[in-house]
Amino acid sequence: MMKKETIVYLNPDSFIDTDCTVLHHLTKEFHVIWFYIYEPNKKMHLTIEQAQMYSEKHGIELHLVISKYRLRDPRNLKFYANVINEINQINPSLIFHSLKSPYWLLLLKTHCNCKKVVLGIHDAKMHSLQFSFSRLFMKYTLYYTIKYHKYHTTLSKSQHDLLLDSYGIESEMVGMSYKYYGPSQLKIPHISNGFKLLFFGSINLYKGLDILIEALEKLRTQGINNLSLTIAGKGDYWDICKSFIRTNEIYNLQIRFIENSEIPDLMSSHHFLALPYRDATQSGPLATAIAYELPILAPRFGYFMETYTDDSAILYKHGDIENALRHISSLSSEQYSNLKKNCKKVKEMSTEESVAQRYIDYFKQVIME
């Protein structure tokens, strides 16, 4: 039996939803050493115990590294120096990561022995967020991180094309599988009781929650009262968004961190996942909606169009969300059932196995170069 090549897979908890759909499949072809960056000062999606259980179950070698510093803190230099030293002792055939830290990048260039380093790109361009020095810092860090690496993966065709257009850099488009968090005992209520929309995840400017609220409030004044919205998540832009709320009774506000254990009930008790983004690359909530065969409401661009079709979603011309919501309010039971039925086809095209195989094939190609 041939000895498996060793790869190091290194990422923080913020990418865990994607990582845990890929990592265990990689063990079929590689000896996988997972450097899980745990940040105790943040709310984590995965506990240390859960990371250990996941690793033991799938034969992954877990290296837990604990970071207590913010992105720009110079003490990160020592933290990442220790990580690089540990990786050098392992001497892997390949490193995969999605980090955008200037300290990590500097040490990769100056101290890392492994030169087969693949950068997993979630966003080739930063989203439209409010200006801050932190954002400016992240923008330049992203630029130099992308420019430094020779090997890149992207999660969608739109990101692949954006990377090529912006940087002249090719990437391996591996895609993103659906994300299933377990079953739920809840059922979607009959549409005769109204349509329940779900906005789920971080509340940032680019996600357009304010646009959705404003449109719902306008339709309410026009006599359309069979639409309601659950807002489950938190973020810096919430204070702006809540200022648009006039009709409190149509909102179920869960403005807090949402535990993974709560996700199945959320996805199983609403008619649509609302994604009123101003701009978009790929979306974690979208991948979860696919797993639960949930139709989406989203603008007709980017990853939304790549993943869903008019047969499985309400896709609208950018800026025309009001008419899209009006259309939802008038759907018949048969029309909605057809949307749900076609969501099954979307799910069949987004399996973990098919996505993980693209990672495997690309990693093998890079190692052989």
Side-chain angles (χ1 to χ4, degrees):
M1 185 175 179
M2 286 185 61
K3 183 181 177 182
K4 293 180 178 179
E5 300 278 3
T6 296
I7 66 170
V8 163
Y9 195 111
L10 184 146
N11 263 342
D13 179 78
S14 54
F15 298 123
I16 199 66
D17 288 352
T18 298
D19 293 343
C20 280
T21 65
V22 174
L23 268 165
H24 59 286
H25 294 287
L26 298 181
T27 60
K28 293 183 293 186
E29 298 288 340
F30 305 109
H31 172 49
V32 180
I33 301 180
W34 178 25
F35 279 69
Y36 178 44
I37 301 175
Y38 187 83
E39 299 173 87
N41 296 330
K42 294 183 179 180
K43 184 69 174 179
M44 306 296 284
H45 292 85
L46 205 65
T47 65
I48 292 175
E49 292 75 17
Q50 287 170 329
Q52 291 170 335
M53 288 174 60
Y54 176 86
S55 301
E56 290 170 7
K57 178 180 178 181
H58 297 293
I60 296 167
E61 185 178 330
L62 175 66
H63 287 222
L64 185 71
V65 285
I66 298 177
S67 172
K68 299 179 180 179
Y69 311 125
R70 299 181 62 156
L71 179 65
R72 289 179 290 174
D73 194 317
R75 286 176 292 183
N76 279 309
L77 194 62
K78 183 178 180 181
F79 169 76
Y80 285 117
N82 291 334
V83 171
I84 290 289
N85 287 337
E86 194 171 344
I87 291 174
N88 283 341
Q89 291 174 22
I90 294 167
N91 191 28
S93 299
L94 178 143
I95 299 169
F96 175 83
H97 76 94
S98 301
L99 288 175
K100 297 184 287 292
S101 164
Y103 306 107
W104 166 251
L105 180 61
L106 174 64
L107 290 161
L108 268 183
K109 294 174 68 173
T110 59
H111 287 73
C112 186
N113 295 335
C114 178
K115 302 306 176 185
K116 302 292 181 67
V117 183
V118 180
L119 175 66
I121 297 176
H122 284 241
D123 300 307
K125 182 179 179 182
M126 291 187 66
H127 295 294
S128 53
L129 300 173
Q130 293 164 297
F131 175 80
S132 66
F133 287 109
S134 177
R135 171 175 163 74
L136 190 63
F137 176 80
M138 291 169 62
K139 179 180 178 181
Y140 283 108
T141 298
L142 174 63
Y143 174 83
Y144 287 111
T145 298
I146 290 174
K147 278 292 190 180
Y148 165 72
H149 287 79
K150 180 179 179 181
Y151 308 105
H152 307 79
T153 63
T154 44
L155 301 181
S156 66
K157 184 179 183 299
S158 57
Q159 279 301 288
H160 171 277
D161 294 347
L162 182 60
L163 184 68
L164 188 59
D165 292 343
S166 301
Y167 295 88
I169 291 175
E170 277 287 357
S171 64
E172 184 71 11
M173 201 288 284
V174 290
M176 187 165 62
S177 66
Y178 62 75
K179 299 172 183 176
Y180 184 66
Y181 292 89
S184 170
Q185 298 301 314
L186 299 184
K187 301 294 182 185
I188 300 174
H190 193 272
I191 64 170
S192 60
N193 297 314
F195 288 95
K196 294 178 65 177
L197 310 178
L198 170 66
F199 179 96
F200 166 67
S202 57
I203 303 173
N204 298 317
L205 171 64
Y206 77 90
K207 291 195 173 182
L209 176 58
D210 54 321
I211 298 172
L212 175 61
I213 294 173
E214 191 173 20
L216 285 170
E217 291 289 350
K218 188 172 181 180
L219 291 176
R220 189 78 173 183
T221 65
Q222 298 171 8
I224 295 175
N225 55 15
N226 65 339
L227 300 173
S228 62
L229 174 65
T230 295
I231 303 173
K234 64 176 186 176
D236 295 339
Y237 200 59
W238 169 242
D239 285 341
I240 300 296
C241 294
K242 70 180 181 182
S243 67
F244 289 90
I245 292 178
R246 300 286 181 269
T247 318
N248 292 321
E249 62 267 24
I250 67 173
Y251 302 98
N252 173 17
L253 302 180
Q254 302 294 324
I255 311 303
R256 55 184 175 80
F257 180 84
I258 304 299
E259 301 287 350
N260 285 350
S261 59
E262 300 177 81
I263 294 174
D265 282 353
L266 283 171
M267 292 289 163
S268 302
S269 59
H270 290 80
H271 297 93
F272 288 90
L273 177 68
L275 300 162
Y277 288 28
R278 287 180 164 89
D279 56 71
T281 52
Q282 53 276 329
S283 163
L286 177 76
T288 308
I290 295 171
Y292 290 89
E293 300 170 15
L294 183 63
I296 66 168
L297 165 72
R300 190 183 293 278
F301 58 57
Y303 190 54
F304 303 137
M305 282 187 67
E306 292 173 29
T307 312
Y308 277 79
T309 66
D310 288 317
D311 294 330
S312 55
I314 304 298
L315 300 173
Y316 58 88
K317 183 180 177 182
H318 194 49
D320 199 22
I321 191 172
E322 189 179 323
N323 282 330
L325 288 167
R326 188 178 287 107
H327 177 53
I328 288 176
S329 72
S330 64
L331 287 174
S332 68
S333 180
E334 182 181 2
Q335 287 172 319
Y336 181 74
S337 294
N338 286 335
L339 287 174
K340 287 284 289 180
K341 187 188 305 180
N342 287 314
C343 285
K344 291 183 179 181
K345 299 176 185 177
V346 175
K347 183 178 180 180
E348 289 168 1
M349 297 175 66
S350 305
T351 64
E352 288 185 8
E353 291 78 7
S354 61
V355 171
Q357 189 60 48
R358 290 193 282 274
Y359 278 90
I360 290 169
D361 292 343
Y362 185 58
F363 289 174
K364 283 184 174 180
Q365 175 188 324
V366 171
I367 290 170
M368 291 296 292
E369 284 189 7

